[in-house]
Amino acid sequence: MKNVSKTGIARIRRGIRKYSIITLASVVYAAGVSLFLDPNNLAPGGVTGISIIVNRLTGVPTGTMIFLINIPLILLGLWKFGWKFILSTGYAVLAVSVATDLMAPIGALTEEPMLACLTGGTLVALALGIIFRQGATTGGTDIIVKVLRLSYPHLRTGALFFLTDVIIVMCSGLIFRNIDVVLYAMIAVIVMSVVMDVVLYGRDEAKLIYIISDSHEEIAGRLLEEIDIGVTYLRGEGGYSSRDKKVIMCVTKKQQAPKIEEVVKEEDPRAFMIVTSATEIFGEGYKSIFADRL
């Protein structure tokens, strides 16, 4: 009974933490829309962009429109991902919709289009990334993107948002009949795409390093002891000399890469070293291979 109660309490705490983060992120999202994008006629794509356009045509509040458009999309998400996903997504949609309408009377915090698109796009993308990390979405094209990721997992989330958003931004040009507004909205879309990928993948980015050296034992020993990273030996053969060689392979956080380079320089200035970027790492110290892909 004690173990059951502890498990239940831990689950409740995780749930409270999850929905608290979603609530905060939803408010940040709404601030980006109501205080920067919407009042400056910037429709940055997605359901939010469509809602801003419809608001100008019908007068229906943007937040309310976000909620109405999301109803059929949430049903799609229910079919594809089940109740657990939709519960958190439905909550995020409701929170974003309510917060957007509540903040709308405040109006624009800046009427400078460039500042509005940069700040609004950054806030929206930051909020989206945080919500995605909690296993939810803000509905709309978020659900469509998540569905696409099931079939095309190699595509990055930010890139998929970019493709869907461009179409909506182009449509906004027909409504507002202002090329400047379209161009600023495109800047917002680009900012959102970049910021979202940073939020979702930036922490996972690491350096993949290959080291070919006759002093491989000394180098590997120092990497294990001084920098505390794992190393793997790969077997190689010199194309010219036909000599067997041990190739050191290691993965490390970006900030540790210079330390590795320094160790190699000290042990063997003539070593051959290849340093490349690894955008996603699974395993101990990084992401779990069993975690949901974002």
Side-chain angles (χ1 to χ4, degrees), residues 46-56 60-62 65-66 69:
V47 165
T48 299
I50 296 174
S51 299
I52 291 173
I53 294 173
V54 174
N55 169 260
R56 300 305 189 274
V60 177
T62 300
M65 205 64 229
I66 289 174
I69 295 176

Side-chain angles (χ1 to χ4, degrees), residues 84-100:
K84 185 177 180 181
F85 167 78
I86 285 305
L87 183 62
S88 56
T89 290
Y91 176 80
V93 169
L94 181 61
V96 166
S97 301
V98 172
T100 298

